[in-house]
Each structure stands twice: as C-alpha cells, then as structure tokens.
Amino acid sequence: MISSVIIILLLTLTFMWFGTRTTYVPLYSNLTIQETGEIKEVLDSRGVPSEIADNGTTILVPHNHVNDLKVSLAAEGVPNSGRIDYGTFRDSMGFGTTDNEFSLLERAAIQTSLEDLFRSIDGINAAHVMITLPEESIWLSDQGQEATAAITLNLQTGYRLDQEQIRALYHLASRSVPNLPVENIVIMDQMSRYMELFDDQAEVNTTFSMYEQQRNIQRDIEKDIQRQVQQMLGTLMGPDKVLVTVSTDLDFTQENRQEQLVTPVNEENMSGIAVSVERITETYTGEDVPEGGIPGTGETDIPGYPGAGVTGSGDYERMEERINNDVNRIQREIVESPYKIRDIGIQVMVEPPDPENPASLPAERLDDIQQILGQIVRTSIDQEYTANWEQQDINERIFVSQSQFLGKVELEIPEEAGTPLWYYIVGGLVVLIILLLFLLIRKGRRTVEETIEEETIEQEEIQDLTMMEEKDSEEKVRRKQLEKLAKEKPDEFSKLVRTWLSED
C-alpha cells in the first residue's frame, strides 16, 4: 500500500511538472547580435519571456506565442538594425538625392543582398561583404574598370566547405555585382583561412585519373604476359627454376576516323552497275546526200554550219551511247583501340637442373625458350609496328640467361615422421575404455544371471514351502473332519477306523 501511494504521488508530480513546463521554440535564428538585442528589447517591453541561444544568434519564446509574435514584429518592422537594402530606395529616395548618395545606397544594398544570399546556404551562420565599385570616368578608355569584393564567412562549428561549394560562392558573387571577375574576389572564414578557388582542379583530377587508368592497363598487360610465360616455362623447367619480367611500351593515342570509300561493283573488270543506258543510232543510205551533209566536217567549213550541196551516192551512220554506272559508296566511322602495344621486352632467367653445373642445361633448351618468347613478342605487338621487322629485331627484345639462383629462398621440407606418440596414447585409452565397458557389461550380465538364479531358487523354495503348507493344511482339514465325524457319528467313525486297520 505504501509503494502504491508513493507511485501515485510520483506520477501526479510528473504530470504536473510536464503540464506547467514552458516549451521554448526558436522565434528567429541566424541573427546578428544587433538584431537579437533589438528583438529582446521589444519582447521584454511586452512582458514576453524569452531565451537566447547559439551564441546570441537565436532567440527562443514559448511555443504558444510564436505565430502572434512573428506577425506583430513583422508589422512593426522588427528587427530593424539599420541595414540598407533595396527597400531603402522606396522609403528614403527623393528629388534631393545626389549621385554620391545614390551610389552609396546602391553599393550598401548590393552588399546586404549578398550577405542574405550567403546566410541562406547551409553551414554559413553569417556573412560580411565589402564591395568596391569602380568610379565612372569622363575619359574614354579601352580598358574597362573592374570591381572588387572581400567576403568574410562565419561557418558553423566543425563545418568545412568543399571545392564545389567554394566555386559556387565565387560565381554567385561574380554574377551579382557588375564588372566583378572571379579573380577580384577574396573569401575567408572567421578563422582567417583563405578559401582558394582552383579552376583547374577538374582538369588536374581528370589528368590524374587518366594517368592511373593508363598505368593500370599497362600493369595488367605486363602481369598477364608474365603470368603466361611463367606458367609455361615453369611447366617446362620447374616452378622454382624460372624468373620472368616483362616491360611494355603502350600507345594510348585514340583515333576517331571517318572514311568515305568509292569502289567498283565488279572488281575484275572495274565496272559498276548500269543504272541507265541510252543508245542512239542513225543510219542513212542513198543516191544523194541530204543538203548540208555533215555540218562542219570539211577543212574550210564552219563548224555547225551546213555545207554545200553535193550529188552522188553515199552512206551516213551515227551511233551515240550514254551509260550511267553506279558504284559502291562506303562510309565508315572507325574508332581505334584505346591502346596498342608498340614495343615489349621479356627477360627470362633460367636455373640449370644442377645449379652448380651450367652444362646440365643443354643449349637446345635455351633455343626452344628463345623461339617461344619470339612468338609471344610477335603476336603481342601491334602489326602496325612489326610490319617491317626481321627476326633480329624480335631477338633484340628477348633476353634469356642461365645462372644459379643464389637469392632463392629454399623451403625446408619436413621429413616424413612416423605416427606421433599421442596417436598411440589416444588409441590405448580408447582400447582401455572399450575393455572396461566390456568388463562392466559382462559383470553386469553375470550379476543379472546370478540374481535370476537366486530368484529362481527362492521361488522354488517358496513353492516347496507352499506345497508343505498345503499338505499340512489338508491333514488339518482331514483331522478336523475325523474329529467332527467322531463326535457326531461315532458308529461310522469306528467303522472307518476298522476299515483302515484292516487295510494296514
């Protein structure tokens, strides 16, 4: 009962504490010290409880007053820390404003707008921007004047801008201010650390990744050739008798080529397909040649002008043939391989079967190795580079040497030992346990048999005693019957006794 009363009291106090507790939520955040002080003064004058957090950049109020306070403070223009923005032109511009005042207000409005832009980015608590605009000159000049900007950022604790974010800040400031190139912008954080813009970072990363890619391709090719040669010669000479190294020279020039080829359809007679054929044949036979004859055929005739009339027999024949042939037009877009092997070198060291006797390795075996490596070199290098090579050029790229491997690590092969001693110990224990189990089982069987025999003997004795008791009980019954017969019928009892006596 006491525990129940205590629990009820604790629950009641807990609910009362949570019910009367005031929950504070942010009214404004990411404020300057001046703005926070102005809002705090207004809230205190109204009697609204408030708290300040985040080093004076956030002001907290009870959650049930947030919406009303935001609307009322906005209607009163709070916070109003004297910042100049584009609303200042609407409120304070008049006919008496001079050019210097206008330029000053314009520059302050641009600075305020940039500060608001930077503060809206994650990780930036506050920003201060100082812009220097070029003065207009009355003199004409081919070289335009440029603006400059100095920006200080107040970053969140532990937050660090990466290169992409820094590049975005530089371009945001450059595009917001007229005649402000990226080179004229300086950005640093609250710790006076300069945020440098690396325009060529992407190019550097691309170049580095391309180098790594080409280097990996070269290593893969060399390892592949080395593994194949090592495996093949290791099978021939022994895995620990051959040492292979491979070096390659690759051409990573990638070519994109477009070819437009025209070839005949029939390459035997170099002819194409007749698309259209036009044949004109004119023949004339007669006594008189038509007036004019063939225009312009005489030595003194004017070309194309009818000649003089001629009499006599003659023949006239004209044949004209026009054939339009079509050919094969082939257009190819060829992308060459990203790499080619233009040179290769293979160095092989072979240890003779008897390291101390170089003559144990015959010269024919070295010639075979030389020919095998020659085939590998010939098939590995691109045919563009081996077109004019001779056998001597291939042999120059192969080096085969025989010598004893003095630096080879020889592994000691352990001698075949007999059966360990603990095998016999374990085997003896197993046999001993089996014998003990056998003896226990056998002893148990004997005990059971003896128990069964004892039980059998006891049962027999019990049966004998039972039979004796049964016999005694029958005699007792007969005696009682005789006594009863003697008392009730003495005559018959006497006759019975006589009968027994006569029988005896």
Side-chain angles (χ1 to χ4, degrees):
M1 291 177 64
I2 295 173
S3 300
S4 301
V5 172
I6 293 173
I7 292 173
I8 292 172
L9 289 175
L10 291 176
L11 291 176
T12 304
L13 293 175
T14 302
F15 285 121
M16 289 177 62
W17 183 75
F18 279 106
T20 57
R21 177 187 173 190
T22 302
T23 303
Y24 286 86
V25 296
L27 176 63
Y28 292 110
S29 58
N30 201 12
L31 300 171
T32 62
I33 302 299
Q34 293 80 6
E35 292 173 344
T36 304
E38 183 182 358
I39 296 173
K40 178 68 174 175
E41 184 179 358
V42 173
L43 295 178
D44 292 341
S45 63
R46 293 186 180 183
V48 178
S50 60
E51 294 180 358
I52 297 174
D54 296 337
N55 296 325
T57 61
T58 303
I59 187 165
L60 306 176
V61 296
H63 69 283
N64 53 350
H65 296 294
V66 172
N67 297 328
D68 296 337
L69 289 174
K70 283 185 177 180
V71 174
S72 60
L73 292 176
E76 296 177 5
V78 178
N80 184 13
S81 57
R83 300 194 322 151
I84 299 175
D85 54 12
Y86 287 103
T88 307
F89 290 91
R90 181 186 66 250
D91 300 333
S92 61
M93 290 298 293
F95 291 101
T97 305
T98 63
D99 292 340
N100 291 333
E101 292 177 352
F102 182 82
S103 300
L104 181 61
L105 293 175
E106 181 185 12
R107 184 179 62 180
I110 294 175
Q111 294 176 170
T112 304
S113 300
L114 275 177
E115 291 174 0
D116 293 338
L117 285 176
F118 289 148
R119 287 169 57 187
S120 62
I121 299 175
D122 293 339
I124 300 177
N125 292 329
H128 299 282
V129 180
M130 178 62 69
I131 298 175
T132 303
L133 297 176
E135 296 181 358
E136 295 182 1
S137 176
I138 61 176
W139 305 102
L140 296 177
S141 177
D142 296 335
Q143 186 177 3
Q145 297 181 351
E146 298 176 347
T148 60
I151 302 172
T152 303
L153 303 178
N154 187 356
L155 303 179
Q156 294 179 2
T157 304
Y159 193 86
R160 191 176 186 86
L161 298 177
D162 56 15
Q163 189 57 222
E164 293 295 330
Q165 293 173 321
I166 294 174
R167 183 177 292 108
L169 293 178
Y170 272 90
H171 288 284
L172 180 63
S174 176
R175 299 299 186 270
S176 301
V177 180
N179 299 326
L180 179 59
V182 176
E183 294 79 10
N184 293 354
I185 301 174
V186 176
I187 301 178
M188 59 180 57
D189 59 4
Q190 69 271 24
M191 304 299 294
S192 299
R193 291 177 296 191
Y194 178 56
M195 298 182 182
E196 188 175 0
L197 176 63
F198 298 99
D199 290 335
D200 56 344
Q201 186 67 27
E203 183 179 357
V204 172
N205 292 338
T206 303
T207 304
F208 185 74
S209 61
M210 185 63 67
Y211 168 77
E212 288 293 331
Q213 182 180 2
Q214 294 177 359
R215 184 58 179 162
N216 291 333
I217 292 174
Q218 185 177 7
R219 289 175 179 174
D220 291 341
I221 293 175
E222 293 175 355
K223 288 181 180 179
D224 187 33
I225 298 176
Q226 180 181 358
R227 183 173 58 254
Q228 292 179 2
V229 175
Q230 185 77 35
Q231 182 178 3
M232 181 171 52
L233 297 183
T235 305
L236 180 64
M237 302 295 300
D240 57 343
K241 296 290 185 179
V242 179
L243 180 62
V244 181
T245 59
V246 178
S247 57
T248 58
D249 182 13
L250 303 184
D251 183 9
F252 290 97
T253 303
Q254 187 172 1
E255 179 183 0
N256 296 337
R257 185 173 69 253
Q258 187 175 8
E259 296 181 353
Q260 293 181 354
L261 305 178
V262 178
T263 59
V265 177
N266 189 351
E267 295 183 355
E268 295 180 358
N269 53 13
M270 302 297 292
S271 63
I273 300 175
V275 179
S276 62
V277 179
E278 182 181 2
R279 292 185 177 91
I280 300 174
T281 304
E282 295 180 0
T283 304
Y284 178 78
T285 304
E287 294 294 332
D288 297 328
V289 178
E291 183 180 357
I294 301 174
T297 58
E299 295 180 358
T300 60
D301 294 337
I302 300 173
Y305 189 81
V310 182
T311 60
S313 62
D315 296 332
Y316 166 69
E317 183 178 2
R318 178 191 174 197
M319 297 182 63
E320 183 178 352
E321 186 177 78
R322 296 186 181 92
I323 301 175
N324 294 326
N325 290 327
D326 197 4
V327 294
N328 295 330
R329 293 179 175 83
I330 303 172
Q331 183 174 355
R332 298 174 180 174
E333 293 183 359
I334 302 173
V335 179
E336 295 290 342
S337 174
Y339 65 89
K340 296 179 182 178
I341 301 178
R342 57 188 176 190
D343 204 353
I344 186 173
I346 301 178
Q347 301 81 32
V348 177
M349 295 185 65
V350 182
E351 186 180 36
D354 186 3
E356 298 180 356
N357 183 15
S360 61
L361 181 63
E364 293 80 5
R365 186 63 57 83
L366 294 178
D367 294 338
D368 294 340
I369 296 174
Q370 186 80 17
Q371 293 180 3
I372 292 173
L373 298 179
Q375 292 294 332
I376 294 175
V377 171
R378 185 180 292 106
T379 56
S380 299
I381 300 177
D382 192 87
Q383 295 182 359
E384 178 183 352
Y385 304 99
T386 59
N388 299 324
W389 281 15
E390 297 180 356
Q391 185 64 34
Q392 181 64 26
D393 297 327
I394 296 177
N395 293 334
E396 290 177 354
R397 287 159 175 81
I398 300 172
F399 177 79
V400 180
S401 173
Q402 62 168 341
S403 63
Q404 183 181 0
F405 293 170
L406 299 177
K408 182 174 63 175
V409 179
E410 296 182 359
L411 299 177
E412 296 182 359
I413 302 176
E415 299 180 358
E416 295 184 358
T419 305
L421 179 62
W422 63 273
Y423 277 16
Y424 294 103
I425 296 174
V426 173
L429 291 176
V430 171
V431 173
L432 181 61
I433 291 172
I434 293 174
L435 290 175
L436 291 175
L437 291 175
F438 178 74
L439 293 174
L440 290 175
I441 293 172
R442 186 174 179 183
K443 183 177 180 181
R445 288 182 178 177
R446 290 180 179 178
T447 305
V448 172
E449 291 177 355
E450 292 177 355
T451 304
I452 293 173
E453 292 178 356
E454 291 178 355
E455 290 179 353
T456 304
I457 295 172
E458 291 179 354
Q459 289 179 358
E460 291 178 354
E461 292 178 353
I462 292 171
Q463 289 179 358
D464 295 338
L465 292 174
T466 305
M467 291 177 64
M468 293 176 65
E469 289 179 353
E470 289 179 355
K471 292 181 178 179
D472 294 340
S473 60
E474 290 179 359
E475 293 179 355
K476 291 179 179 180
V477 171
R478 290 179 181 178
R479 187 179 298 170
K480 290 179 179 179
Q481 290 177 357
L482 291 173
E483 290 178 354
K484 185 178 180 182
L485 182 61
K487 291 179 179 179
E488 294 178 356
K489 297 178 180 181
D491 296 336
E492 293 180 2
F493 178 74
S494 59
K495 289 180 180 180
L496 182 58
V497 172
R498 292 173 184 170
T499 304
W500 287 346
L501 293 172
S502 59
E503 289 176 0
D504 293 336

